Amino acid sequence: MTRRCRGCAKIALTPLLDLGSVPAADHFPPRDTPVADTESGHPLRMDQCAACGLAQLADDDTVTAEPRGIEPLALREQAAAAVRLVLAAGLLRGSTVTEFGSPHGGTWLPLLGAHGFTENTGGPADVVLDCFGIMHEPDQRAAFAARAAATAPDGVLLVQYHSLAAIVAQGQWNALRHGHFAYYSLSTLRTLLGAVGMSVVTAWEFDLYGGTVLLAVRHGDHAPDAGVEEILATEADALSSIAELQQTVDHHVRALRGWLEAAAAQCDRVYAYGAASRAVALLSMAGAHRGLLAGVADAAPGKQGRRMPGTDVPIISPAELVAAEPDVVLLTLPDLLAEVSNGLPELTGRWVIDDPAGPRRR
């Protein structure tokens, strides 16, 4: 069967990033279960459409598991900042709101409720929210049509996404994971939104996840403001090196493996913090095991008592991490640094940030 673009249904798809076979991103087996060969047998590839530019998950043979993570402080703070910017721009008009949520949790509804908005119970809403939700939709064309239909004629659709330009510029290849069906550039989003009769009117950038963008979108044909044009120019420069993303994978995996082996050779007790989906493929491909990485701490109770997929590395609680008195702690998500540093002062001076160029001290 011929594969078609998830966004525009054209067939001009070319491979962009291929990780081979890796573990499912959301499947964390019980700690004491043996590691099966089939555990790391799920193909993971990103394709790009030559017609609309959408970067997308090629296939997904995994079964979506119940989300086990918790919403980090950085995400909550960014959401509050985003709502303040939209309010200041005069775009929070009306009284009703609809939210297309992310399976990873988190909501902006209380933030909108503080400004007098009530959740819509039927028909189009004055404000429609989508924070990292739409990327989880296999049928992107249908997903954009649904969000357009949910937005009132004079309403605003707010879409936040992890920027493909940031992924490329920072070598964030492990943002590719099962269950995430699309990776967006602003230029592609303008095309896909235009196909459902909507226009991007303004945009804001945030440091979250190395680079996220929030779009304000309205029905009809509207000229974009200077902020949109600036982001388009910046992303065009970053995306010009998109072909180099594949090379980053091998370098990152080798650098992490070398660092773990060097730490083991000098008898350092190495742990990690953050059993995040983006750490799944990385640790598996780097061949992590208990002899190199004693455990991965995570604040989500649903992950504790389990292990990292494709490895025998156990997932432990933050309290267990402190009690283990590690020599170094590899932080798999740099956005968590401020939160975990404040919450775990006993580990001051031991944090090492995972980076495609190799782990680095903080």
Side-chain angles (χ1 to χ4, degrees):
M1 181 177 177
T2 302
R3 286 191 62 252
R4 294 184 177 274
C5 173
R6 298 181 186 276
C8 70
K10 300 294 195 305
I11 60 173
L13 296 171
T14 57
L16 184 62
L17 177 63
D18 194 340
L19 302 186
S21 294
V22 299
D26 280 330
H27 177 62
F28 295 90
R31 179 185 301 188
D32 297 328
T33 57
V35 181
D37 292 339
T38 55
E39 210 168 288
S40 299
H42 302 281
L44 186 57
R45 191 182 81 232
M46 180 191 291
D47 289 346
Q48 187 171 35
C49 177
C52 70
L54 182 66
Q56 55 202 276
L57 187 63
D59 295 291
D60 189 350
D61 66 354
T62 66
V63 177
T64 302
E66 184 71 21
R68 297 180 180 274
I70 61 174
E71 188 179 24
L73 176 62
L75 187 58
R76 299 195 300 272
E77 291 179 339
Q78 186 274 325
V83 169
R84 288 194 296 270
L85 287 171
V86 178
L87 179 65
L91 292 170
L92 289 185
R93 298 189 289 266
S95 61
T96 58
V97 57
T98 292
E99 184 173 54
F100 288 84
S102 163
H104 299 303
T107 177
W108 290 19
L109 291 177
L111 296 170
L112 271 292
H115 294 287
F117 284 83
T118 57
E119 191 169 3
N120 199 40
T121 57
D126 299 311
V127 176
V128 176
L129 307 170
D130 189 304
C131 178
F132 307 124
I134 197 167
M135 68 187 302
H136 296 89
E137 300 280 1
D139 188 338
Q140 289 285 294
R141 281 212 303 176
F144 280 102
R147 284 149 181 79
T151 308
D154 293 325
V156 62
L157 167 63
L158 301 174
V159 180
Q160 179 161 302
Y161 62 96
H162 187 191
S163 165
L164 179 62
I167 291 172
V168 172
Q170 299 180 36
Q172 298 176 344
W173 60 271
N174 50 347
L176 174 63
R177 52 150 289 177
H178 301 108
H180 287 181
F181 293 95
Y183 302 82
Y184 306 108
S185 66
L186 177 51
S187 57
T188 292
L189 281 170
R190 292 182 74 194
T191 298
L192 298 180
L193 287 162
V196 294
M198 302 192 80
S199 303
V200 177
V201 295
T202 191
W204 300 270
E205 293 182 280
F206 301 90
D207 292 334
L208 186 69
Y209 302 148
T212 59
V213 178
L214 174 65
L215 304 181
V217 187
R218 297 181 62 196
H219 286 289
D221 188 12
H222 302 277
D225 69 0
V228 173
E229 299 295 350
E230 289 174 8
I231 294 174
L232 286 170
T234 301
E235 78 171 15
D237 183 58
L239 294 176
S240 65
S241 58
I242 196 168
E244 299 174 10
L245 196 57
Q246 184 73 55
Q247 302 170 20
T248 306
V249 179
D250 292 338
H251 183 86
H252 192 174
V253 169
R254 285 197 306 268
L256 178 58
R257 176 72 184 200
W259 180 80
L260 289 171
E261 290 177 339
Q266 60 187 30
C267 299
D268 282 342
R269 290 164 298 171
V270 180
Y271 285 76
Y273 190 102
S277 61
R278 69 174 56 188
V280 170
L282 174 62
L283 294 182
S284 176
M285 294 171 70
H289 57 79
R290 289 188 183 185
L292 297 175
L293 185 63
V296 178
D298 198 280
K303 293 182 181 179
Q304 295 162 16
R306 296 179 175 269
R307 59 175 172 80
M308 294 301 295
T311 82
D312 64 353
V313 178
I315 302 173
I316 62 176
S317 69
E320 290 175 294
L321 174 64
V322 172
E325 298 184 350
D327 293 305
V328 288
V329 182
L330 179 72
L331 186 60
T332 63
L333 290 172
D335 289 282
L336 295 180
L337 182 59
E339 184 175 353
V340 297
S341 295
N342 292 332
L344 303 172
E346 303 92 338
L347 301 178
T348 298
R350 305 182 204 183
W351 296 105
V352 173
I353 304 297
D354 176 57
D355 188 274
R360 52 189 173 85
R361 283 275 185 181
R362 286 300 299 266

